[in-house]
Amino acid sequence: MNASDRASTPDLGTVRMALKLASRAPSVHNTQPWCWMFDGARLQLRSDTDRLLKSADPTGRQLVISCGAVLDHGRLAFLSMGWFAQVTRFPEPDLPGLLATLEFRPWPGALNTAAGRVRAIHRRRTDRLPMLAPDGWHDVLGAVRELARPHHVAVDEIADSSRPRLAAVTEHATALRRYDMDYQTELHWWAGHSEVQEGIPVAALASDAEAARVDAGRTFPSAPYSARRDDLEDKARLVVLSTLGDTPAQWLHTGEALSEVLLECTARGLATCALTHITELAASRSVITDLIPHRDFPQVIVRIGIAPEDTASAPTPRRPLDEVLEVHSS
């Protein structure tokens, strides 16, 4: 690499700092199904199919959405460190596991509206407990729609009148999965452990009593009995992120839009919880299509609300950076 190349590319220390921040991105069951490769000039994002949920996500849709979230987190992290990342998605069609290539140029400008989302990366949590209704909802909904628009992802609210139907779909999906031993084994592998660097720790799960007051949550292994927010019935707003098609490129864009939505809400002091279980099964996914104003493909539902300050959760664990970053000398 010559001197001009080095001047237009972040050094390895910067890359490591940016990717450590990006690793705070959400992923299905906190599987963190991504890997990065840096050759001194370009950064590549690849999917880690060893972390595919073969029962819950056989097509890899949620895996790619998770990778889209880390891609957007990474783009924001580099921007905060003075580097603009030009993203080329699926640069080599014959290599479907290669999701994106990032090339860089110095970014001397201000972060402007992205600054709040960058600061929100460390604060964002998945909140599975009941929430209060969000304040200023009209402005929030307008903002997240604008952030998702460049990714050609629609954001639609599920009306209160449709909540009973959504709750029924959730119950039906849970019932179908209850005696699916492959699904249950996979779920218990990833959820309810402690002192690990992946998966969902016990502290991030809801007890049966808490989960019963949330009408649209995935059923996880139950946490030990607790009654946090025991005076609340869930008043979170529900939005659906959907796309015109159902291709890997659109899944990746969905993950990027999801990242923007979650971080914007966090920057505004709101709690969030992304839900993909209702879109795992064709029957329940078709019901969600009926609840939005166009015949798009629903990808993710997001709960958005206010969490009482006295129930803030600790950050979930992340894999060491050296497990997800390969460095190749050019």
Side-chain angles (χ1 to χ4, degrees):
M1 186 191 306
N2 58 40
S4 62
D5 288 335
R6 286 193 294 270
S8 61
T9 304
D11 60 27
L12 180 57
T14 300
V15 169
R16 290 181 64 88
M17 285 191 294
L19 295 185
K20 186 173 182 179
L21 185 58
S23 71
R24 295 307 314 167
S27 58
V28 58
H29 296 359
N30 193 26
T31 50
Q32 305 165 59
W34 49 70
C35 54
W36 300 92
M37 195 278 284
F38 182 57
D39 65 4
R42 298 185 307 168
L43 182 65
Q44 292 184 336
L45 172 63
R46 298 173 181 268
S47 59
D48 184 348
T49 54
D50 288 342
R51 292 172 173 271
L52 174 70
L53 302 177
K54 295 180 181 179
S55 181
D57 184 33
T59 65
R61 182 177 63 88
Q62 296 177 73
L63 179 149
V64 175
I65 290 173
S66 300
C67 290
V70 82
L71 174 60
D72 185 72
H73 270 49
R75 183 187 61 81
L76 287 171
F78 278 110
L79 198 63
S80 73
M81 296 174 186
W83 293 96
F84 177 82
Q86 178 66 47
V87 178
T88 303
R89 299 166 184 85
F90 293 94
E92 299 184 38
D94 293 337
L95 298 174
L98 175 56
L99 302 180
T101 296
L102 284 66
E103 297 179 284
F104 300 94
R105 67 173 185 266
W107 179 259
L111 289 176
N112 298 324
T113 58
R117 296 197 297 283
V118 172
R119 291 193 296 269
I121 290 176
H122 281 300
R123 303 199 316 271
R124 185 207 61 81
R125 306 283 188 271
T126 296
D127 193 320
R128 297 178 177 87
L129 299 178
M131 302 177 190
L132 298 167
D135 295 330
W137 177 241
H138 178 77
D139 290 341
V140 174
L141 185 58
V144 297
R145 280 175 168 163
E146 285 304 309
L147 289 168
R149 195 184 309 277
H151 297 285
H152 306 287
V153 174
V155 180
D156 294 294
E157 182 179 6
I158 294 181
D160 287 344
S161 59
S162 298
R163 294 282 287 253
R165 190 175 180 192
L166 181 66
V169 171
T170 300
E171 293 177 5
H172 182 63
T174 300
L176 289 175
R177 295 294 204 183
R178 185 170 294 124
Y179 301 109
D180 182 337
M181 290 300 101
D182 290 338
Y183 176 88
Q184 292 297 331
T185 298
E186 185 175 77
L187 184 66
H188 282 73
W189 173 263
W190 287 103
H193 300 291
S194 59
E195 299 182 3
V196 294
Q197 299 166 332
E198 57 204 356
I200 306 172
V202 173
L205 297 175
S207 69
D208 288 340
E210 293 160 346
R213 288 180 279 113
V214 177
D215 58 1
R218 188 193 289 266
T219 300
F220 284 102
S222 180
Y225 176 78
S226 61
R228 293 164 291 180
R229 306 179 195 172
D230 59 353
D231 58 339
L232 292 184
E233 292 293 331
D234 191 44
K235 299 298 182 183
R237 299 281 191 166
L238 297 173
V239 297
V240 181
L241 276 60
S242 59
T243 52
L244 287 171
D246 202 27
T247 66
Q250 287 160 319
W251 302 342
L252 191 68
H253 274 293
T254 296
E256 294 176 81
L258 175 64
S259 165
E260 293 285 303
V261 169
L262 298 179
L263 293 178
E264 177 66 18
C265 289
T266 302
R268 290 170 177 259
L270 300 175
T272 59
C273 181
L275 305 171
T276 53
H277 67 291
I278 309 177
T279 58
E280 286 174 356
L281 300 173
S284 54
R285 199 178 188 193
S286 67
V287 173
I288 305 304
T289 302
D290 291 340
L291 301 182
I292 56 180
H294 32 68
R295 304 297 295 180
D296 288 359
F297 291 84
Q299 303 290 353
V300 184
I301 295 175
V302 183
R303 296 173 55 235
I304 303 171
I306 294 176
E309 294 181 0
D310 60 349
T311 54
S313 59
T316 50
R318 289 298 186 270
R319 301 165 67 192
L321 185 60
D322 289 338
E323 288 189 9
V324 298
L325 172 62
E326 296 180 14
V327 178
H328 295 179
S329 299
S330 59

